[in-house]
Amino acid sequence: MSRIMEKIYALFRMNILIFALLTVTIIALFTYENGLDDIYLLNLSKYPYVLAVTDSADGGASAIDMIRTDSSIVIDYELKEGYAYPYAGVKILLGDGKTKGLDISHYDSIFVWIKPRGEGTVRLYMRGYDATFYRPDDESSLKFNEIEFFPLEETYPAVFVPQEFRVASWWVAHNEINVHKARVDLSNVPLIEIQTGTNAPLGYGTLEIKGLCFKGKKIRKDDLYVALVGLWFITFFVILVIRMFDYSRERAANKKKREELEKNLKALEIEKSEYEKSSKEDALTGCLNRAGFSSVLTREQENLSKTGSPVSFIMLDIDHFKNINDTYGHSVGDEVLVNLTKLIQGKIRNTDALVRWGGEEFVILCSDTPIQNAQFLAEKLRVAIEKHKIISQQQITCSFGIAEMVPDEDPKKLFERADKALYASKENGRNRVTSATFRRTSR
């Protein structure tokens, strides 16, 4: 009965999540369609940064007169011959009018309230700043994103979308810009221009400009869809995780007794392994003790007898270790042993065995190593120990004795030869390496 109730509860949880997700999705879509509007309005009758312009800046003779009313700006102009394409209009400065302007790229629609009192088209320029092309002393280097239209009264206001704009071809040609790099960019528009069009007739005319409005959403539709898809994905992932968890919990309940037994057996195995490991390792330094070394030595003896692969034996002793304990205390002495062990382990191979033989005495068993190589290794360790700051209180040095294993030799004799070589190093001033010699017999 309890399992049935658990399954009903799990199914109920899933339905709650899906219902909540559907509710959030519907609310988000409804809110997007009926709110979240982002509107930027330019009422030119009150906007101070509006300038009248004509082709006189390009050597033309056209004239213009700009009048502000309570609701708009009215420009009376006269287009005259003197410039190839006579024009008149206004400039609307945004930001600083040069490099910092308005980001129009995220708006969906652009509304322009303009009424002509004459014939011809009207050009709308969204002048874009691009650091690649902009020249501070040349306003014409601002990109001409343009659209040209007939502002008939029945279409008042004119409505455009950013995708309808094109970069003026004459501007691209004049600046010798690769057409692939001269794409429409409305992300930074410091200047807007409204001018008479290319086919405006010569003579008198009037334009009444009320303003512009940019309308969009505070959140892009694509971003909203991506967020909703991500939310659905996360929700179904959570449902999948919950189902997997419920399934896993059910399996765990069915196998609880077996897992408990396996856990107990594993604990016993770990305890046994840790006991065996601790019985073969030195508690302070973590390297092998004599018991752990015994099995390694036996293995290398057998390998030497079968293959003749050389085995060398390095014995080292910390110089004046008793004085360190007496002067600084046993805690510093233990620090010497631990740090020395780490240094040596970092210098020898994984196949070499490091053994704490007793007190301040260590042994390194080097498999597949003739005595010449072992002597080289010992000298390398001696120099490293001498140069390394084992403890802060004083410099630490070691004396070394080296011997090579003889086939079928009693291990005691091997230790005796290495110990004599070590004794010779101490007798000759310490901090040195001495090798025991023997005559290798032919088989």
Side-chain angles (χ1 to χ4, degrees):
M1 185 67 179
S2 60
R3 289 186 180 180
I4 295 175
M5 293 300 295
E6 287 180 2
K7 289 182 178 180
I8 294 175
Y9 173 67
L11 183 61
F12 180 75
R13 283 185 301 171
M14 306 305 171
N15 291 337
I16 286 291
L17 284 173
I18 293 174
F19 177 77
L21 182 59
L22 284 171
T23 303
V24 169
T25 302
I26 293 171
I27 292 174
L29 292 174
F30 179 82
T31 303
Y32 181 84
E33 293 298 331
N34 297 276
L36 297 178
D37 291 331
D38 184 8
I39 299 174
Y40 184 81
L41 179 64
L42 276 174
N43 185 349
L44 297 189
S45 65
K46 298 180 181 179
Y47 192 72
Y49 306 110
V50 182
L51 304 175
V53 293
T54 66
D55 54 28
S56 60
D58 299 307
S62 298
I64 190 171
D65 183 27
M66 185 176 75
I67 303 171
R68 287 182 183 268
T69 69
D70 293 338
S71 60
S72 64
I73 285 180
V74 178
I75 58 172
D76 293 317
Y77 61 85
E78 181 184 4
L79 299 183
K80 301 178 181 180
E81 293 183 352
Y83 180 64
Y85 303 100
Y87 67 87
V90 295
K91 286 183 179 180
I92 305 168
L93 304 180
L94 306 175
D96 63 3
K98 296 180 179 180
T99 61
K100 294 181 180 179
L102 179 66
D103 181 4
I104 301 174
S105 61
H106 66 284
Y107 291 106
D108 299 326
S109 304
I110 301 173
F111 298 81
V112 183
W113 282 270
I114 181 168
K115 288 183 178 181
R117 298 173 187 172
E119 297 180 356
T121 59
V122 173
R123 283 178 294 192
L124 174 62
Y125 291 127
M126 296 291 176
R127 303 289 301 280
Y129 168 76
D130 189 321
T132 306
F133 313 123
Y134 181 72
R135 298 182 296 276
D137 57 343
D138 185 5
E139 186 183 278
S140 66
S141 61
L142 288 173
K143 186 182 296 184
F144 280 79
N145 303 294
E146 70 169 2
I147 191 168
E148 190 163 353
F149 60 98
F150 285 95
L152 302 177
E153 291 195 16
E154 54 266 26
T155 62
Y156 184 82
V159 184
F160 310 103
V161 296
Q163 292 79 5
E164 292 180 290
F165 283 82
R166 297 292 181 269
V167 177
S169 58
W170 61 265
W171 181 83
V172 174
H174 176 74
N175 290 277
E176 298 180 350
I177 298 171
N178 187 311
V179 293
H180 296 291
K181 295 183 179 180
R183 301 183 184 278
V184 172
D185 182 6
L186 302 179
S187 60
N188 186 358
V189 176
L191 178 62
I192 297 175
E193 294 188 40
I194 300 174
Q195 299 177 2
T196 54
T198 54
N199 59 352
L202 297 177
Y204 293 97
T206 302
L207 282 178
E208 182 183 0
I209 308 170
K210 187 174 182 180
L212 297 91
C213 179
F214 305 94
K215 185 176 181 180
K217 296 290 184 179
K218 294 180 179 179
I219 302 175
R220 294 179 184 268
K221 183 176 288 187
D222 291 344
D223 294 339
L224 177 64
Y225 289 161
V226 169
L228 289 176
V229 170
L231 186 61
W232 276 87
F233 176 81
I234 292 172
T235 302
F236 280 108
F237 179 77
V238 170
I239 291 174
L240 178 62
V241 170
I242 292 174
R243 287 185 175 180
M244 290 179 63
F245 177 76
D246 291 341
Y247 176 71
S248 177
R249 187 174 60 178
E250 186 176 350
R251 288 190 62 189
N254 294 334
K255 298 178 180 180
K256 185 176 181 179
K257 290 184 179 180
R258 190 180 73 181
E259 289 181 354
E260 286 293 331
L261 178 60
E262 290 177 353
K263 183 179 179 181
N264 293 334
L265 290 174
K266 186 177 291 185
L268 290 174
E269 290 176 358
I270 293 174
E271 185 177 350
K272 179 183 177 183
S273 176
E274 290 179 350
Y275 174 77
E276 291 177 349
K277 183 179 179 181
S278 63
S279 67
K280 294 181 179 181
E281 287 186 357
D282 177 59
L284 176 64
T285 62
C287 59
L288 293 175
N289 57 20
R290 292 196 181 194
F293 178 65
S294 177
S295 60
V296 176
L297 179 62
T298 302
R299 182 190 66 203
E300 293 300 332
Q301 282 182 306
E302 293 176 353
N303 190 44
L304 175 62
S305 300
K306 292 178 181 179
T307 65
S309 178
V311 179
S312 291
F313 194 76
I314 301 175
M315 182 175 287
L316 63 121
D317 187 90
I318 302 173
D319 297 330
H320 304 296
F321 185 71
K322 185 177 183 302
N323 291 340
I324 296 173
N325 279 333
D326 293 343
T327 304
Y328 306 112
H330 288 279
S331 61
V332 175
D334 290 346
E335 184 182 353
V336 172
L337 295 172
V338 172
N339 293 341
L340 178 64
T341 300
K342 292 179 180 178
L343 176 62
I344 294 174
Q345 288 176 333
K347 301 290 184 182
I348 62 177
R349 302 170 299 179
N350 292 334
T351 55
D352 298 333
L354 176 62
V355 186
R356 185 182 179 192
W357 196 247
E360 72 274 22
E361 200 169 48
F362 291 83
V363 169
I364 305 173
L365 185 64
C366 305
S367 61
D368 194 23
T369 305
I371 194 169
Q372 295 86 351
N373 293 0
Q375 186 171 357
F376 176 80
L377 172 60
E379 181 63 25
K380 177 182 175 182
L381 291 174
R382 184 193 69 78
V383 173
I385 295 168
E386 184 180 20
K387 292 183 177 181
H388 192 77
K389 196 171 185 179
I390 302 295
I391 56 173
S392 60
Q393 289 84 349
Q394 70 172 61
Q395 183 187 42
I396 302 299
T397 62
C398 290
S399 300
F400 294 79
I402 306 171
E404 184 175 343
M405 188 181 294
V406 178
D408 301 324
E409 179 184 22
D410 187 345
K412 291 182 180 180
K413 293 183 179 181
L414 173 65
F415 283 102
E416 288 175 0
R417 289 191 288 111
D419 191 55
K420 287 180 180 180
L422 174 61
Y423 181 77
S425 293
K426 288 183 172 292
E427 284 291 306
N428 292 323
R430 293 183 169 83
N431 190 23
R432 62 184 64 246
V433 177
T434 304
S435 297
T437 58
F438 69 94
R439 186 180 299 277
R440 186 185 293 273
T441 57
S442 59
R443 291 189 170 185

